[in-house]
Amino acid sequence: MKFSYGALAGLIAAIALLILVLFTIPVLIRAAKATKEAEKTIQSANESIQQISDDVNGLLHQTGDLLDKTNVLLADVNVKMKTIDPVVQAAADLGESVSDVNTSTRKMAKRFNNFHWKRNGLVSSALASVFARHKRRKGED
């Protein structure tokens, strides 16, 4: 059996191709396993995203309900504040009146302190006796 150079070259090429295929098979098997794992991971990620999406939709619905209830509560508080406004205004007016009375009392006390009792002997002695009588009564009680 005689091989020609062309047949020998073909045989060498066929052997090289067989070796290449044999070395490529494990790489292809590993690539197929990696692809399956990637598909599983993508499927798991899709399920997680779907679950998160459902949870977010539920939260958005609950948030909407909560905002509606908050708006109702705020409207109720506003109505009640309108009924309290006259009371607050009356308290402010009362405070202003008390302040005016306080100012008037201070002015009167200042005038009373500035009045010279010694010049009016009769009035001062009458007041002194009234104050003394008042002090005695307090002491007796």
Side-chain angles (χ1 to χ4, degrees):
M1 213 190 223
K2 249 183 165 183
F3 286 109
S4 69
Y5 290 118
L8 186 62
L11 181 65
I12 292 173
I15 292 173
L17 184 63
L18 178 67
I19 292 172
L20 180 66
V21 168
L22 289 177
F23 281 114
T24 309
I25 288 175
V27 172
L28 291 174
I29 291 173
R30 279 188 248 142
K33 286 181 182 178
T35 303
K36 286 181 184 178
E37 288 296 320
E39 285 176 8
K40 288 179 185 177
T41 303
I42 290 172
Q43 181 64 28
S44 175
N46 284 340
E47 290 171 1
S48 296
I49 288 172
Q50 183 63 37
Q51 180 65 32
I52 290 171
S53 177
D54 292 344
D55 290 346
V56 167
N57 285 339
L59 283 173
L60 287 175
H61 180 69
Q62 290 176 357
T63 303
D65 290 345
L66 183 63
L67 286 174
D68 290 341
K69 289 177 184 176
T70 303
N71 286 338
V72 168
L73 180 64
L74 186 59
D76 185 42
V77 167
N78 284 337
V79 168
K80 290 179 180 171
M81 285 300 295
K82 286 180 183 176
T83 61
I84 291 175
D85 278 346
V87 174
V88 172
Q89 185 62 41
D93 293 343
L94 178 65
E96 191 174 324
S97 297
V98 168
S99 178
D100 291 344
V101 168
N102 211 5
T103 303
S104 297
T105 305
R106 283 192 184 127
K107 286 180 183 178
M108 189 170 126
K110 198 180 234 185
R111 282 189 217 146
F112 187 75
N113 283 339
N114 289 339
F115 190 71
H116 298 288
W117 291 102
K118 292 182 181 175
R119 291 185 187 165
N120 303 330
L122 182 61
V123 175
S124 66
S125 63
L127 281 176
S129 66
V130 169
F131 285 133
R133 187 177 298 157
H134 180 68
K135 285 182 183 181
R136 278 193 304 253
R137 284 185 184 165
K138 274 189 168 180
E140 290 174 6
D141 290 339

